[in-house]
Amino acid sequence: MTNVSPREQLARQLAEAVAEALRADLEHHDHALLVVSGGSTPVPFFTALAACRLPWERVQVTLADERWVGETADDSNARLVREHLLCGPAAAATFAPLTSDHPTPEQGTEVVAERIEALAWPASVVILGMGGDGHTASLFPDSRELDLALSTDATTVAVRTPSQPQPRITLSAERLHQARRHFLHITGGDKRAVLARALAGDDVRELPIRAFLACPLATYWAP
Ligand SMILES: O=C1O[C@H](COP(=O)(O)O)[C@@H](O)[C@H](O)[C@H]1O
């Protein structure tokens, strides 16, 4: 028997749970929307989900957030999704990226919002990640637009964050809340400690992940 690492095992368990949720919603709806996060953590999950049997042509996929970079950039979340999730039969899913040809996210946010609003809300599943600073999606503690992104009923928010090299676009907290199920996918002892801090307090601006703890949020963690 081959050795499966705890992170790989976690990714497979999460993929099974997400596939089950999508199948359940597709029994009652024409389409099911899946909102995924970027970063390094989701790669094995994307691979595991792409291997699941689903009517992929009825699945819509979008992102919780994105750097304002071209889709061929190394740190593009859209590129990550295309390379690791939209593979094989899963390539039949409809993917709605969060960027446009506009030079800045402030200029592109309206056209992206229209694209995202046309999807099958409420989402079947939102999968959040979390950084070591407690950010989720692109809701960073030092984002200038954090208060706006936490309070607006707009779908997308252009975000400038001193700690981050690129401008970004994020789904607003309100839009991310519009889902039947929320999952948090994190790995490592540092992130577990950040989550424990988040659970122990209530200042959302300090640790923005707190905005989703009551969704409820099913946490998938491995060392
Ligand atoms: O910047 C981002 O970071 C978080 C976490 O990323 P990870 O590399 O630590 O897994 C991610 O959830 C978010 O979508 C991404 O844009």
Side-chain angles (χ1 to χ4, degrees):
M1 204 157 100
T2 50
N3 261 354
V4 178
S5 73
R7 291 185 183 196
E8 179 63 36
Q9 213 171 348
L10 180 82
R12 291 183 194 179
Q13 286 166 352
L14 178 58
E16 275 168 30
V18 169
E20 200 50 51
L22 294 171
R23 281 187 206 110
D25 287 348
L26 287 168
E27 281 184 19
H28 306 284
H29 303 278
D30 290 342
H31 293 94
L33 172 60
L34 168 65
V35 181
V36 297
S37 289
S40 52
T41 309
V43 172
F45 159 70
F46 287 161
T47 307
L49 186 62
C52 290
R53 288 171 74 95
L54 279 163
W56 282 104
E57 68 287 354
R58 294 170 58 205
V59 175
Q60 301 174 342
V61 179
T62 193
L63 283 157
D65 69 312
E66 180 64 284
R67 295 169 185 83
W68 201 257
V69 295
E71 272 204 32
T72 54
D74 285 347
D75 50 2
S76 158
N77 285 340
R79 175 176 172 164
L80 200 75
V81 167
R82 289 192 195 281
E83 288 185 352
H84 298 281
L85 176 56
L86 304 177
C87 307
T94 301
F95 177 54
L98 292 187
T99 51
S100 70
D101 290 337
H102 296 86
T104 69
E106 288 79 8
Q107 290 166 290
T109 188
E110 201 176 311
V111 65
V112 173
E114 277 173 24
R115 185 190 306 147
I116 300 307
E117 284 159 15
L119 298 174
W121 298 94
S124 182
V125 172
V126 166
I127 303 163
L128 296 171
M130 185 184 72
D133 57 358
H135 86 265
T136 190
S138 281
L139 308 176
F140 288 83
D142 63 330
S143 296
R144 287 177 215 155
E145 298 79 8
L146 178 61
D147 282 344
L148 175 67
L150 289 170
S151 60
T152 184
D153 58 7
T155 292
T156 54
V157 180
V159 175
R160 302 278 170 164
T161 307
S163 64
Q164 300 303 309
Q166 299 105 341
R168 292 174 173 234
I169 187 166
T170 188
L171 297 192
S172 63
E174 164 75 16
R175 185 55 73 167
L176 286 167
H177 278 128
Q178 289 175 23
R180 297 189 183 94
R181 305 163 196 83
H182 290 83
F183 294 87
L184 175 64
H185 183 195
I186 51 171
T187 55
D190 291 354
K191 288 191 183 179
R192 187 167 71 168
V194 174
L195 181 61
R197 270 179 55 215
L199 288 163
D202 59 9
D203 182 354
V204 176
R205 283 171 198 84
E206 181 197 14
L207 298 172
I209 187 64
R210 284 180 175 143
F212 301 93
L213 295 179
C215 276
L217 190 60
T219 300
Y220 278 66
W221 174 85

